[in-house]
């Protein structure tokens, strides 16, 4: 037997080892948690030199942690915000906490990134804190302010126009002939104001739709990112557990009866086969939701009101994603086939949000035309037989064709095999308030506004050709370089 003091020392040593292992594991988990946070976690010394950064620093600002450590944090601050940080450094002995300061940082690509700072000074003189990315919120605030200013200017302009109209009406009372002439002129002016007001209402509705879509995409994106990030770790954990279970089966091939009974009850062999497939299907579902969120964000493009080079195909695909529910089959018709004949297009300079409105209007009209033909001809019931096979006489279809025209333009064709239109209707199709739809179903502004966006805003061409009973084609020509 060992002496008592040796046994006590050995026990004391084992306890110390276990405590060290627990502390190391706790520290590892803490570091892993900090590294995976979306907010930037940092530490710096009294002089403001960075001593600790997590991965979010690189993901947010583009700089690697190694190149930024031991450098002052104000090196990456906007010149106008550096003094706020320097003031905090000088007041550390009187002010322990610094919460919710909004500072501008320079991204490695020179882009300005807004971060919300929350920091405090530690007992050893170090400063620790976090930086939260609020760039999207700042951009939204700026866009809202700009929209409010534009609205105020428009209100003042309408007030001025209303004042002028009243002065004109007072002048008309001086003479019958002048009254007649001015009345006619006022009728034209009122018609123009009516059109302008309707277009403004439509633009506001589309803007609200874009904001709603962007808001929904943002709200969905947060939980999806949480699921998407955790499902990777869940896959790894499950794979590790399955590997451990296989090892147990290899080395303990004959478990106790209770374990055998439980394995039979839960059908362990099927569970081992189906669980990876189940996780794979969850991964595919998360990927699909991410694609839908991306399409919603691309369609809204609230932060791209100015001219910007974009991928035209991306805008078309985003619009088709929004209209997916209308393309699916219904009781009185089959699904509408969308055939994409995409050419190799360069980036096109345009107002992306407005161009997405054009795609939305043209594709919606194409769907309406195809559905109308299906209903009017009762096409789902028109089926011929050849041998033992049934062949549908009509397939609802929309074809989208894109190509480069010469060196300066791109062409987008949207072709449907819907009900079509006669020549008289085709000549009026871009007139304001002209519509072939029943009362309450259309405003007659969609194609008029689309024409204005393509021709006036983008110096392009929008044409329509159609054969009654055969289908319609809309042709868009856009300059590749709008700024030049």
């Amino acid at each position: 037997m060992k002496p008592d003091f040796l046994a006590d020392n050995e026990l004391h040593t084992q306890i110390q080892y276990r405590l060290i292992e627990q502390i190391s594991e706790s520290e590892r988990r803490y570091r892993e948690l900090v590294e995976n946070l979306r907010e930037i976690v940092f530490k710096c010394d009294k002089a403001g030199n960075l001593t600790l950064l997590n991965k979010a620093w690189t993901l947010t600002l583009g700089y690697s942690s190694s190149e930024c450590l031991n450098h002052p944090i104000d090196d990456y601050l906007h010149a106008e915000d550096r003094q706020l940080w320097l003031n905090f450094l000088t007041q550390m002995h009187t002010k322990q906490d610094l919460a919710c300061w909004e500072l501008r940082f320079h991204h490695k690509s020179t882009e300005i990134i807004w971060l919300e700072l929350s920091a405090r000074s530690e007992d050893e003189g170090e400063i620790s804190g976090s930086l939260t990315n609020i760039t999207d919120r700042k951009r939204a605030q700026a866009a809202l302010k700009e929209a409010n200013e534009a609205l105020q200017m428009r209100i003042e302009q309408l007030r001025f126009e209303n004042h002028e109209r009243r002065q004109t009406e007072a002048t008309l009372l001086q003479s019958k002939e002048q009254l007649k002439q001015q009345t006619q002129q006022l009728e034209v002016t009122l018609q123009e104001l009516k059109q302008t007001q309707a277009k403004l209402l439509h633009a506001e509705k589309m803007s609200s739709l874009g904001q709603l879509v962007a808001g929904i995409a943002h709200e969905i994106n947060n939980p999806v990112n949480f699921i998407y990030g955790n499902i990777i770790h869940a896959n790894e954990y499950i794979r590790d557990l399955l590997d451990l279970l296989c090892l147990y089966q290899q080395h303990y091939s004959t478990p106790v009866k209770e374990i055998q009974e439980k394995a039979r009850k839960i059908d362990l062999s099927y569970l081992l086969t189906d669980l990876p497939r189940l996780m794979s299907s969850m991964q595919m579902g998360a990927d699909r939701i991410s694609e839908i969120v991306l399409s919603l964000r691309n369609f809204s493009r609230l932060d791209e009101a100015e001219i910007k080079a974009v991928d035209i195909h991306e805008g078309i695909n985003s619009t088709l994603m929004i209209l997916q529910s209308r393309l699916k089959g219904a009781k009185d018709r089959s699904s509408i086939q969308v055939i994409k004949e995409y050419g190799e297009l360069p980036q096109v300079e345009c107002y992306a949000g407005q161009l997405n409105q054009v795609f939305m209007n043209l594709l919606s009209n194409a769907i309406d035309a195809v559905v109308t033909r299906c209903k009017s001809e009762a096409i789902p019931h028109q089926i011929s037989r050849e041998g033992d096979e049934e062949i549908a006489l009509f397939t609802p279809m929309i074809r989208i064709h894109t190509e480069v025209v010469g060196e300066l333009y791109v062409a987008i064709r949207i072709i449907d095999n819907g009900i079509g239109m006669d020549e008289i209707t085709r000549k009026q199709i871009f007139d304001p308030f002209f519509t072939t739809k029943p009362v309450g179903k259309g405003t007659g502004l969609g194609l008029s506004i689309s024409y204005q966006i393509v021709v006036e805003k983008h110096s392009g061409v929008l044409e329509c050709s159609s054969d009654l009973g055969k289908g319609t084609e809309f042709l868009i020509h856009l300059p590749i370089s709008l700024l030049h």
Side-chain angles (χ1 to χ4, degrees):
M1 294 182 59
K2 295 182 181 180
D4 292 342
F5 74 93
L6 289 178
D8 291 341
N9 286 340
E10 183 177 346
L11 178 61
H12 181 70
T13 302
Q14 291 178 356
I15 292 173
Q16 284 183 326
Y17 282 148
R18 290 187 180 180
L19 287 174
I20 291 172
E21 287 176 355
Q22 291 177 357
I23 292 171
S24 299
E25 177 63 16
S26 176
E27 182 178 359
R28 184 191 66 78
R29 290 181 179 177
Y30 173 76
R31 289 185 177 275
E32 182 179 356
L33 175 63
V34 171
E35 281 297 307
N36 290 328
L37 285 175
R38 287 186 301 170
E39 291 81 11
I40 297 172
V41 177
F42 72 93
K43 278 190 176 183
C44 58
D45 57 22
K46 293 180 178 179
N49 296 318
L50 292 166
T51 58
L52 176 94
L53 290 169
N54 66 345
K55 292 179 181 178
W57 174 270
T58 303
L59 295 175
T60 304
L61 297 177
Y63 304 100
S64 66
S65 300
S66 58
E67 69 179 304
C68 300
L69 291 176
N70 299 320
H71 286 75
I73 194 172
D74 52 275
D75 283 355
Y76 310 99
L77 279 168
H78 189 280
E80 296 177 4
D81 293 344
R82 288 175 183 166
Q83 194 58 44
L84 291 173
W85 172 254
L86 296 176
N87 289 342
F88 172 68
L89 291 180
T90 58
Q91 299 173 8
M92 280 193 309
H93 62 283
T94 59
K95 188 175 183 181
Q96 292 292 319
D97 293 322
L98 175 64
C100 298
W101 278 20
E102 298 176 350
L103 301 174
R104 289 167 289 180
F105 283 73
H106 288 288
H107 192 274
K108 195 170 185 178
S109 63
T110 71
E111 182 186 3
I112 296 299
I113 302 295
W114 280 92
L115 299 177
E116 186 177 82
L117 170 66
S118 178
R120 62 176 289 115
S121 60
E122 304 292 348
D123 295 335
E124 296 81 8
E126 282 190 327
I127 300 171
S128 61
S130 63
L131 295 164
T132 304
N133 193 341
I134 58 170
T135 305
D136 291 341
R137 186 180 77 191
K138 283 292 184 180
R139 287 175 177 170
Q141 290 174 350
L144 180 61
K145 181 180 179 182
E146 183 179 350
N148 286 335
E149 292 174 353
L151 181 60
Q152 289 298 324
M153 291 178 61
R154 183 57 185 161
I155 291 173
E156 291 299 323
Q157 183 180 359
L158 289 174
R159 287 177 179 173
F160 179 76
E161 291 175 358
N162 190 41
H163 178 68
E164 281 190 334
R165 190 185 69 177
R166 290 180 179 178
Q167 288 182 338
T168 302
E169 290 175 347
T171 305
L172 290 175
L173 296 175
Q174 297 176 5
S175 170
K176 271 190 175 183
E177 188 63 26
Q178 284 185 340
L179 179 60
K180 184 179 179 179
Q181 295 176 357
Q182 292 295 333
T183 300
Q184 294 174 349
Q185 192 174 11
L186 278 174
E187 287 177 354
V188 174
T189 303
L190 285 173
Q191 183 65 19
E192 292 177 351
L193 285 173
K194 184 179 178 181
Q195 294 180 11
T196 302
Q197 183 182 23
K199 289 180 179 179
L200 285 172
L201 290 173
H202 185 271
E204 183 65 23
K205 183 170 67 175
M206 292 304 296
S207 175
S208 299
L209 175 62
Q211 292 176 359
L212 175 62
V213 169
I216 292 173
H218 176 72
E219 291 301 324
I220 295 175
N221 195 47
N222 289 334
V224 166
N225 283 340
F226 176 80
I227 296 172
Y228 201 85
N230 285 321
I231 202 169
I232 297 174
H233 299 296
N235 272 320
E236 294 177 356
Y237 298 159
I238 289 173
R239 188 165 52 249
D240 292 339
L241 289 173
L242 293 178
D243 291 342
L244 178 61
L245 185 57
C246 289
L247 287 175
Y248 268 109
Q249 290 178 330
Q250 291 175 10
H251 296 284
Y252 300 97
S253 56
T254 308
V256 297
K257 184 177 180 181
E258 184 179 358
I259 294 177
Q260 293 179 4
E261 182 64 21
K262 184 65 176 179
R264 185 193 60 77
K265 186 176 181 181
I266 66 174
D267 198 353
L268 181 60
S269 59
Y270 173 78
L271 188 149
L272 293 175
T273 304
D274 189 62
L275 185 56
R277 291 201 295 261
L278 177 66
M279 296 304 298
S280 177
S281 65
M282 292 173 65
Q283 180 73 51
M284 291 173 61
D287 292 339
R288 178 60 176 162
I289 296 174
S290 297
E291 291 174 3
I292 293 173
V293 170
L294 180 61
S295 296
L296 292 173
R297 294 176 64 183
N298 288 336
F299 176 79
S300 62
R301 290 187 182 272
L302 292 177
D303 57 339
E304 296 178 8
E306 298 300 327
I307 297 173
K308 183 177 180 181
V310 299
D311 183 358
I312 292 295
H313 296 155
E314 186 177 83
I316 296 174
N317 291 336
S318 299
T319 306
L320 288 172
M321 181 70 72
I322 301 297
L323 296 172
Q324 190 64 38
S325 61
R326 298 193 61 197
L327 295 171
K328 295 179 179 179
K331 294 181 180 179
D332 54 350
R333 64 173 176 85
S334 58
S335 298
I336 301 174
Q337 293 186 14
V338 178
I339 301 175
K340 301 177 184 178
E341 299 173 349
Y342 288 171
E344 294 185 4
L345 300 186
Q347 296 275 307
V348 177
E349 294 176 353
C350 63
Y351 296 91
Q354 295 183 17
L355 206 57
N356 284 345
Q357 292 183 32
V358 174
F359 296 146
M360 174 66 76
N361 290 332
L362 298 184
L363 289 169
S364 295
N365 280 348
I367 294 173
D368 291 338
V370 171
V371 171
T372 300
R373 181 176 177 185
C374 290
K375 292 180 178 179
S376 64
E377 298 182 6
I379 284 173
H381 306 292
Q382 296 184 9
I383 296 177
S384 64
R385 288 185 175 272
E386 289 187 8
D388 295 331
E389 296 182 355
E390 292 187 350
I391 302 175
L393 297 177
F394 174 78
T395 302
M397 185 182 303
I398 297 175
R399 186 158 59 93
I400 305 172
H401 179 87
T402 63
E403 62 181 348
V404 177
V405 180
E407 297 180 356
L408 301 177
Y409 289 86
V410 297
I412 303 106
R413 287 182 169 85
I414 298 177
I415 307 162
D416 66 73
N417 61 349
I419 198 168
M421 65 187 84
D422 56 31
E423 185 62 18
I424 296 176
T425 303
R426 188 195 67 79
K427 290 182 178 179
Q428 303 177 76
I429 200 68
F430 296 117
D431 292 344
F433 305 107
F434 177 81
T435 180
T436 59
K437 298 176 182 178
V439 177
K441 295 294 185 180
T443 62
L445 288 173
L447 292 178
S448 174
I449 291 174
S450 298
Y451 187 87
Q452 182 183 23
I453 291 173
V454 173
V455 177
E456 297 180 13
K457 297 285 288 186
H458 292 86
S459 302
V461 175
L462 178 57
E463 297 177 347
C464 174
S465 60
S466 182
D467 290 327
L468 187 62
K470 294 182 179 180
T472 303
E473 175 180 348
F474 284 97
L475 170 63
I476 303 173
H477 273 189
L478 292 174
I480 295 174
S481 179
L482 184 60
L483 294 174
H484 305 293

